[in-house]
Amino acid sequence: MSKISSILIANRGEIALRVIRACKDLGIKSISVYSDEDNRSIHVKRADESYRLGPAQASESYLCIDKIIEIAKLSGADAIHPGYGFLSENELFSEECKKNDIIFIGPTAKAMELAGDKMKCKEIMKKAEVPTVPGSDGVVEDMELAVDIAKEAGYPVMLKSAYGGGGRGIRLVTNEKELRQEFELASNESKAAFGKSALFIEKYLTNIRHIEYQLLRDSSGNGRHLFERECSIQRRHQKLIEMSPSPVVNKEIREKVGEIAVRASTALDYLNAGTAEFLSDSKGNFYFIEINARLQVEHPVTELVTGKDLVKLQIQVAQGEEIPFKQKDLELKGCAIECRINSEDPFYDFTPSVGYIPNCNIPSGPGVRVDTYLYPGCNVSGYYDSLIAKLITYGGDFNEARVRMKNALSEFTIEGINTTIPIHKTIIEESNFINGNISTDYIEKYNIIEKMKQKRNHEYEDKAYAAISAILLQSEYVKKSNLSPQRLNRIQKSKSGGFY
Ligand code: ADP
């Protein structure tokens, strides 16, 4: 067992801060790296040491394996935490760390390679009797073969990149004509995004939920699941809201699918924290889709309902310790909800919105956690991921967590850019969400964008009335009237100002 006394964090933003906090809790020296774009970032200030990586482009900074390894050696880092995104699921990076005697806080290169290759992974899952989505048995290179497989699986089908991630490289086709059109486009998109064009075909499941399991496995082969997260609220197949527990998972399902998830991690000889993702249909069937070989964005939800610090556990497992609890010792208590605050305009198809933040107000209070890199006067860059903050609330039950989220969202202000806060405010009060009636097409199915626009129009109207009444109250007639101060006050407070 090799005790870790310093960790280089090969990432930026809120996740770099999250890892720095875990290091401080454990008395470990934290070392950050940054691009020129980030030289004023908070992760640079908070870490014990910070080193420049290079220019703003990720390809010249956060994705440069050589530079990161060089800095790790120069600074004497015992270990590297990759966060999520960037190099977190890059098996070459994990391998390079090993070659240089640096502990990689994550899975082995081998497990990462298997998890990253969705087709190989599916094959292993089938052998381990983990249920998977019906579709092609391997990569489909030939268009005619694709047509035959789709016919057999039945339309609609999804074309997926075998190396995809984050919702990219996925296309839905509803008939043969579309399949022929989209096959080449999807191949090219996959090649551009992931360097390889391999596609596979999956039956498109309708009215489904995305439910995933947090996993942890140590080098002695102990595997645990830390229960499920419900991640069905998505836009463009990317998660917007996550929560734990799922409204449709009872104790029996939790244990049964949890056991399948652990079996999946054993089949890959997985190491450290990871996530097994499933799609669940209305009949309660669970289909495995993939293992994400990293710490997930939404890990705080699990931390709040289990009381476990996943980053600390990652570090303990990476230095060879056994997981310090048995499956039966774990308990899921209360409910946690996470809203992803992205620098995007939900009123304009989630287009990126970047720039200077003159001011912001970060919510706080009982049951409120905010993981963010924002501060008044910071800059939101267009070079990187659009996730700028994670707002997580905890309550004794779903409703307490939800009401806390509603209140925290109303406190959260970010000036200078557009964010996803308005869509969260709409969802958190929407009746289907409140009743747990959700699926991966929730946003389209319940016209959430339209509801968000209506909500904004009502808010504008309220503000317009208030402005008009404020002006009218200044008028000579009002001043000359004999209205008592109490009556004037009532008029001022009422929505219409009493003039309509
Ligand atoms: P990625 O690795 O890009 O995140 P996933 O395979 O995890 O892609 O799928 C992302 C999302 O796409 C899922 O949460 C779900 O909403 C949708 N999806 C994926 N596969 C299917 C399928 N076979 N049928 C219906 N929806 C799917």
Side-chain angles (χ1 to χ4, degrees):
M1 203 160 75
S2 38
K3 186 115 180 68
I4 296 174
S5 58
S6 56
I7 295 177
L8 181 146
I9 300 123
N11 215 303
R12 65 180 298 277
E14 66 84 21
I15 193 63
L17 282 174
R18 171 71 190 90
V19 180
I20 292 170
R21 287 194 176 111
C23 289
K24 290 195 191 288
D25 281 1
L26 293 169
I28 291 173
K29 181 166 93 178
S30 53
I31 302 160
S32 74
V33 287
Y34 60 93
S35 71
D36 292 342
E37 184 79 352
D38 280 340
N39 59 4
R40 287 176 56 243
S41 291
I42 202 159
H43 77 276
V44 180
K45 296 174 194 155
R46 293 262 173 90
D48 295 315
E49 284 176 21
S50 290
Y51 294 83
R52 176 183 178 268
L53 267 176
Q57 288 85 353
S59 58
E60 294 189 52
S61 51
Y62 298 104
L63 288 172
C64 276
I65 296 181
D66 291 351
K67 283 187 194 170
I68 293 171
I69 297 281
E70 195 187 310
I71 295 173
K73 282 161 72 179
L74 179 84
S75 61
D78 297 328
I80 293 186
H81 194 301
Y84 53 72
F86 294 128
L87 295 168
S88 61
E89 289 176 279
N90 185 315
E91 66 256 28
L92 290 176
F93 186 47
S94 173
E95 195 60 44
E96 270 313 296
C97 289
K98 198 172 164 196
K99 272 193 211 151
N100 286 281
D101 274 336
I102 300 165
I103 298 172
F104 178 79
I105 304 176
T108 57
K110 177 86 188 126
M112 208 185 272
E113 189 200 331
L114 292 175
D117 185 330
K118 293 190 182 194
M119 267 350 291
K120 268 195 205 153
C121 189
K122 214 169 169 181
E123 216 178 289
I124 296 169
M125 292 309 148
K126 276 188 174 170
K127 277 196 195 129
E129 295 180 10
V130 170
T132 57
V133 185
S136 64
D137 275 334
V139 164
V140 186
E141 275 159 17
D142 177 67
M143 171 103 76
E144 294 312 316
L145 189 61
V147 169
D148 287 348
I149 293 168
K151 206 179 262 170
E152 202 184 312
Y155 286 99
V157 296
M158 281 188 125
L159 301 179
K160 286 187 172 184
S161 164
Y163 306 97
R168 289 175 308 161
I170 296 184
R171 268 154 202 264
L172 173 66
V173 292
T174 56
N175 55 48
E176 187 179 323
K177 192 171 162 227
E178 268 177 33
L179 182 121
R180 288 183 184 277
Q181 280 165 0
E182 296 290 326
F183 192 82
E184 207 161 314
L185 289 173
S187 281
N188 292 342
E189 188 178 287
S190 162
K191 195 158 193 180
F194 315 110
K196 300 173 194 176
S197 66
L199 289 183
F200 67 100
I201 296 174
E202 245 176 37
K203 179 157 184 59
Y204 179 69
L205 305 170
T206 49
N207 200 17
I208 44 157
R209 291 166 176 266
H210 174 123
I211 297 175
E212 59 184 34
Y213 273 73
Q214 176 65 51
L215 294 167
L216 192 63
R217 198 160 176 276
D218 64 29
S219 48
S220 307
N222 301 304
R224 309 276 180 261
H225 70 85
L226 285 87
F227 313 117
E228 80 280 3
R229 291 186 287 256
E230 162 83 59
C231 309
S232 301
I233 306 283
Q234 307 180 341
R235 59 103 176 62
R236 295 196 209 117
H237 306 305
Q238 291 171 352
K239 298 160 191 166
L240 260 183
I241 299 183
E242 300 97 345
M243 60 184 140
S244 185
S246 160
V248 291
V249 173
N250 59 24
K251 195 166 180 293
E252 193 192 334
I253 300 174
R254 180 165 301 127
E255 279 169 17
K256 193 179 121 211
V257 184
E259 188 272 319
I260 295 175
V262 173
R263 202 185 322 147
S265 72
T266 310
L268 294 182
D269 194 14
Y270 196 81
L271 180 68
N272 216 293
T275 295
E277 295 191 328
F278 296 88
L279 297 179
S280 162
D281 65 18
S282 49
K283 293 188 194 114
N285 297 312
F286 277 73
Y287 302 96
F288 170 88
I289 45 173
E290 65 171 335
I291 294 257
N292 281 327
R294 58 165 194 274
L295 183 72
Q296 300 268 100
V297 168
E298 57 272 28
H299 76 273
V301 157
T302 301
E303 295 189 317
L304 294 183
V305 294
T306 59
K308 302 290 178 203
D309 184 318
L310 283 167
V311 182
K312 273 198 207 171
L313 284 164
Q314 279 196 295
I315 297 170
Q316 288 166 348
V317 165
Q319 62 188 12
E321 289 175 39
E322 286 197 25
I323 301 171
F325 48 80
K326 301 248 179 312
Q327 189 65 51
K328 64 175 175 40
D329 300 333
L330 286 169
E331 206 187 331
L332 194 163
K333 268 198 206 146
C335 176
I337 306 174
E338 173 180 281
C339 287
R340 294 192 188 201
I341 315 294
N342 295 327
S343 52
E344 293 167 3
D345 188 349
F347 293 98
Y348 287 95
D349 204 20
F350 297 94
T351 44
S353 176
V354 296
Y356 176 67
I357 309 291
N359 208 354
C360 57
N361 184 60
I362 312 284
S364 56
V368 177
R369 166 172 167 181
V370 185
D371 284 16
T372 184
Y373 66 89
L374 294 180
Y375 62 88
C378 73
N379 200 51
V380 170
S381 169
Y383 280 102
Y384 316 110
D385 192 90
S386 65
L387 185 81
I388 53 172
K390 304 188 306 204
L391 173 59
I392 315 112
T393 56
Y394 177 79
D397 57 18
F398 171 70
N399 206 43
E400 191 176 31
R402 189 187 71 80
V403 171
R404 283 184 167 156
M405 180 58 82
K406 176 174 167 268
N407 294 333
L409 283 166
S410 70
E411 275 181 38
F412 212 153
T413 53
I414 303 170
E415 290 175 17
I417 57 166
N418 294 305
T419 73
T420 46
I421 290 176
I423 193 164
H424 290 305
K425 283 183 174 170
T426 308
I427 295 172
I428 215 73
E429 292 195 85
E430 201 275 329
S431 59
N432 289 290
F433 176 78
I434 295 175
N435 295 325
N437 190 13
I438 54 180
S439 47
T440 53
D441 59 352
Y442 166 85
I443 304 261
E444 300 83 37
K445 192 168 171 183
Y446 298 112
N447 291 320
I448 299 302
I449 301 292
E450 197 42 47
K451 285 181 180 153
M452 176 182 68
K453 288 181 179 165
Q454 282 166 10
K455 191 169 156 50
R456 181 175 66 172
N457 290 345
H458 288 304
E459 282 167 10
Y460 280 169
E461 271 174 29
D462 286 353
K463 283 185 182 152
Y465 280 134
I468 291 167
S469 73
I471 294 165
L472 290 178
L473 282 167
Q474 293 304 315
S475 78
E476 283 305 302
Y477 298 113
V478 174
K479 281 181 188 157
K480 284 179 193 159
S481 74
N482 287 326
L483 288 168
S484 68
Q486 288 86 351
R487 173 106 174 90
L488 272 175
N489 193 24
R490 266 206 307 280
I491 294 170
Q492 200 158 18
K493 275 193 178 154
S494 74
K495 190 172 155 184
S496 68
F499 289 93
Y500 299 89

